[in-house]
Amino acid sequence: MNPPSIDTSLLTAVATLMTPRLRLEPLGPSHIDGAMEGISDPETLRLTGTRRTFSRDDVLRHLTSLADRDDRADWAIIDLATERYVGEVVLNELEPDDAAMNFRVALNPGWMGRGYGTEAARAVLDHAFDDLGVHRVGLDVFAFNPRAERSYEKAGFRHEGRQRDTLFWDGEWVDSILMAALSTDERPAL
């Protein structure tokens, strides 16, 4: 049996995805202010294990480069009620021979705990499985982020394991929780 073929044209021409409360639009240079807000927040950096400091030029260069990529899809999460940037959601690390991708989401300050990450994750998983032809979407989340872990579970990710001591943060070792969703898994009801 051969793995499904990934439609990489949908990675170079990233579709806008809609949910009841959100618009996921292709992430690009117009989202620089929202992106800078997220990567300037100490709690966001802690939850993602990010130590590096990014200049506005670094971020703008990254956002500009996304349009030319055929191995990932990046979306800005926009709240429909306010038209404000909520954060970003990403499918990356394409493994075409295995029909697999990695998932990550980062919400800006003030947007956590309201279900936006779960809603965005469900939309991206549906797109990955139904449109792109991906079979497996995996992620890892640090053990000090149980809120994200619950959100991923609600979106359809299942626990697969634990990696010990993957991050040294504030003088302590932190484990990573491994999770994944398969195209053949039953999807949670909205």
Side-chain angles (χ1 to χ4, degrees):
M1 175 194 229
N2 293 326
S5 176
I6 304 297
D7 187 351
T8 56
S9 71
L10 297 176
L11 298 175
T12 54
V14 177
T16 297
L17 309 176
M18 301 297 293
T19 74
R21 298 183 299 163
L22 303 173
R23 179 178 64 248
L24 308 182
E25 62 189 35
L27 185 64
S30 65
H31 302 106
I32 183 70
D33 291 334
M36 290 303 298
E37 180 184 354
I39 62 171
S40 300
D41 175 55
E43 181 64 1
T44 300
L45 296 176
R46 182 182 79 87
L47 294 175
T48 59
T50 303
R51 293 185 180 98
R52 184 173 167 207
T53 302
F54 298 92
S55 72
R56 189 174 180 87
D57 286 342
D58 291 337
V59 175
L60 192 56
R61 227 179 343 271
H62 169 70
L63 294 174
T64 302
S65 76
L66 296 174
D68 298 327
R69 302 290 299 265
D70 66 355
D71 63 343
R72 62 186 294 147
D74 297 67
W75 290 271
I77 305 169
I78 307 298
D79 175 53
L80 290 174
T82 63
E83 287 296 316
R84 289 191 53 209
Y85 179 96
V86 172
E88 67 177 40
V89 61
V90 178
L91 284 172
N92 60 3
E93 300 176 17
L94 172 66
E95 295 290 342
D97 293 338
D98 302 317
M101 295 189 83
N102 182 68
F103 175 88
R104 69 178 176 80
V105 62
L107 300 180
N108 277 10
W111 294 100
M112 291 180 225
R114 302 201 230 159
Y116 290 110
T118 303
E119 194 170 320
R122 284 180 175 170
V124 168
L125 284 177
D126 286 347
H127 181 65
F129 298 144
D130 298 340
D131 303 325
L132 291 171
V134 172
H135 175 66
R136 174 189 169 81
V137 177
L139 65 84
D140 62 292
V141 59
F142 294 116
F144 57 40
N145 195 353
R147 179 172 39 198
E149 189 178 344
R150 283 190 305 276
S151 173
Y152 297 141
E153 289 170 342
K154 290 177 190 173
F157 288 92
R158 296 183 185 180
H159 289 86
E160 293 193 326
R162 185 178 198 99
Q163 292 180 305
R164 298 177 302 146
D165 294 354
T166 57
L167 176 72
F168 190 73
W169 196 271
D170 285 338
E172 295 184 19
W173 286 106
V174 181
D175 294 351
S176 292
I177 311 299
L178 304 176
M179 302 177 78
L182 303 178
S183 62
T184 52
D185 288 344
E186 185 176 329
R187 296 189 202 169
L190 292 177

